Amino acid sequence: MFSTLSPYGRLSAPPVVPVVVYGRRWCGLTQMVRRYLDRNGIPYEYVDLDAHPEARSRLAWMTGGRVYNPVVYVGGEVLVQPTIGELQWALSRSGQR
């Protein structure tokens, strides 16, 4: 990604496309996704559905009514139980990788 000039003539960092992982600590797929992001230095927000049950309604809306583990939000795209290959593809499309 390239830096751009702000309206004030200063270099500004490119916008960061958010990555959010919704899951549970005990879920093996959630842990696999988090380890992949950690190992590759990709910043993300983790929402533990056991600790934040209020997030379940938002997640149900995003996934069409059912709550799955994990759900990964990457740059406007919702991935339900993604494989590492699907995650890599979404990250590359969003400019994260």
Side-chain angles (χ1 to χ4, degrees):
M1 296 181 111
F2 300 99
S3 296
T4 57
L5 288 177
S6 73
Y8 304 104
R10 295 189 175 127
L11 282 178
S12 62
V16 175
V17 179
V19 176
V20 182
V21 177
Y22 296 89
R24 292 182 166 89
R25 289 178 301 210
W26 51 263
C27 174
L29 291 174
T30 301
Q31 297 310 313
M32 178 184 70
V33 166
R34 293 183 69 201
R35 277 194 304 271
Y36 174 81
L37 295 171
D38 288 338
R39 287 180 182 153
N40 287 283
I42 299 169
Y44 65 94
E45 177 185 348
Y46 173 61
V47 179
D48 185 346
L49 295 173
D50 290 330
H52 300 283
E54 69 279 1
R56 287 179 52 86
S57 62
R58 178 175 31 164
L59 190 58
W61 181 83
M62 289 170 57
T63 61
R66 297 201 51 196
V67 177
Y68 299 92
N69 292 321
V71 172
V72 183
Y73 176 85
V74 180
E77 189 173 352
V78 177
L79 305 172
V80 178
Q81 295 179 330
T83 64
I84 294 301
E86 291 168 337
L87 183 58
Q88 289 172 335
W89 193 36
L91 289 167
S92 67
R93 283 195 312 267
S94 72
Q96 291 284 341
R97 210 162 139 71

